[in-house]
Amino acid sequence: MRTLNFANRNFKEIIRDPLSLIFAILLPLFLLFIFQQFKIPSEVYQLENFTPGIIIFGFSFITLFTATLIAKDRSTSLLIRLGTSPMKPIEYILGYTLAVIPMVIIQNILFFIVAILLGLTFSINVIYTILITIPISVLFIALGIFIGCITNEKSASGVSSVVVQLVAFTSGMYFSADMVGDFFAKLCNILPFSRCVDITKGILNNNYDKLGENCLILIVYIAVVVFISMLIFRKKMVSDNK
């Protein structure tokens, strides 16, 4: 109950800034629309391939939202006051995560509605893709929690923009890693964002090649990032309460 109440409070804080929410949703939708108008002769920009990339790109804004929210809570001493409550760090993490999940679902549904209007064929795989993106979004939420814990309210958005750029250029949403040099290709394979795109693209297109490997690597990334975020969060709460 404490976690749900905290999540409800966080959700209300998020929707208090509707302009940022609209921007975070409209920018990826604009990219999805404009690249289809260019009629670029490339497999990457076909709707069934580009839509999953846009979804993961949209998640980078989830990182920004989460980081800004936590940095703001720290600057307003909310977490200091909550530090006297019996809530545990994992409950705080779940509270922030549950607050953002509705935004993730709405964002994905809107992306697919636009994609279908542009010509994407609707199938049960669309539903499966929306469902699989929910656990994938936990990675981006955890990154936001981590950034929010190590930055202040003014710098949180700037640091989070690094994640936005990394997702854009290493996820494979614009071009395949095979098209660039060895160093960049290795960076794409090391970072988890290309795995996220490959998982969503594979499920949408009913192609399960390397799906198990990509899911396993992503699960490890999520577990590590969530664990580190929880440790940093607890450490910051202890230090801020002193």
Side-chain angles (χ1 to χ4, degrees), residues 66 85 91 95 101 114 124 129 150 158 164 185 209 242:
T66 309
S85 72
E91 292 178 300
I101 291 298
V114 172
I124 190 63
T129 305
I150 64 175
V164 176
D209 183 36
K242 290 183 179 180

Side-chain angles (χ1 to χ4, degrees), residues 87-236:
M87 288 182 65
K88 300 177 181 179
I90 186 61
E91 292 178 300
Y92 288 108
I93 301 298
L94 287 174
Y96 285 113
T97 301
L98 291 176
V100 179
I101 291 298
M103 179 180 170
V104 169
I105 297 174
I106 293 172
Q107 190 181 56
N108 290 348
I109 291 175
L110 288 176
F111 287 167
F112 274 111
I113 288 175
V114 172
I116 291 170
L117 291 176
L118 291 173
L120 179 70
T121 302
F122 177 80
S123 68
I124 190 63
N125 290 335
V126 170
I127 306 298
Y128 293 154
T129 305
I130 292 175
L131 292 176
I132 197 62
T133 56
I134 295 176
I136 290 176
S137 69
V138 175
L139 171 67
F140 294 86
I141 297 171
L143 285 172
I145 294 172
F146 174 76
I147 294 173
C149 287
I150 64 175
T151 60
N152 55 41
E153 188 177 359
K154 293 182 178 179
S155 62
S157 58
V159 176
S160 299
S161 66
V162 175
V163 176
V164 176
Q165 297 301 319
L166 285 174
V167 173
F169 293 107
T170 68
S171 66
M173 63 172 289
Y174 286 123
F175 45 79
S176 172
D178 298 333
M179 299 171 59
V180 296
D182 291 339
F183 172 79
F184 195 80
K186 290 179 180 178
L187 182 63
C188 293
N189 289 327
I190 291 173
L191 294 176
F193 309 122
S194 64
R195 309 283 182 177
C196 298
V197 173
D198 289 343
I199 290 171
T200 53
K201 188 187 300 184
I203 291 178
L204 181 61
N205 294 290
N206 204 30
N207 180 8
Y208 301 106
D209 183 36
K210 293 185 178 181
L211 181 63
E213 175 186 341
N214 289 330
C215 287
L216 179 60
I217 293 174
L218 184 60
I219 289 171
V220 171
Y221 257 103
I222 292 174
V224 171
V225 175
V226 169
F227 180 72
I228 293 175
S229 299
M230 191 167 58
L231 289 181
I232 298 296
F233 187 87
R234 182 170 59 182
K235 182 178 179 180
K236 285 294 181 179

Side-chain angles (χ1 to χ4, degrees), residues 26-36 50 54 57 174:
L26 287 186
L27 178 58
L29 285 177
F30 173 76
L31 290 176
L32 179 62
F33 174 78
I34 200 67
F35 273 95
Q36 291 308 304
F50 194 54
I54 283 294
F57 178 65
Y174 286 123

Side-chain angles (χ1 to χ4, degrees), residues 20-49:
S20 296
L21 283 173
I22 293 172
F23 173 79
I25 294 175
L26 287 186
L27 178 58
L29 285 177
F30 173 76
L31 290 176
L32 179 62
F33 174 78
I34 200 67
F35 273 95
Q36 291 308 304
Q37 304 311 305
F38 288 159
K39 302 298 181 182
I40 303 174
S42 172
E43 286 190 10
V44 176
Y45 300 108
Q46 293 177 1
L47 277 171
E48 61 269 21
N49 293 325

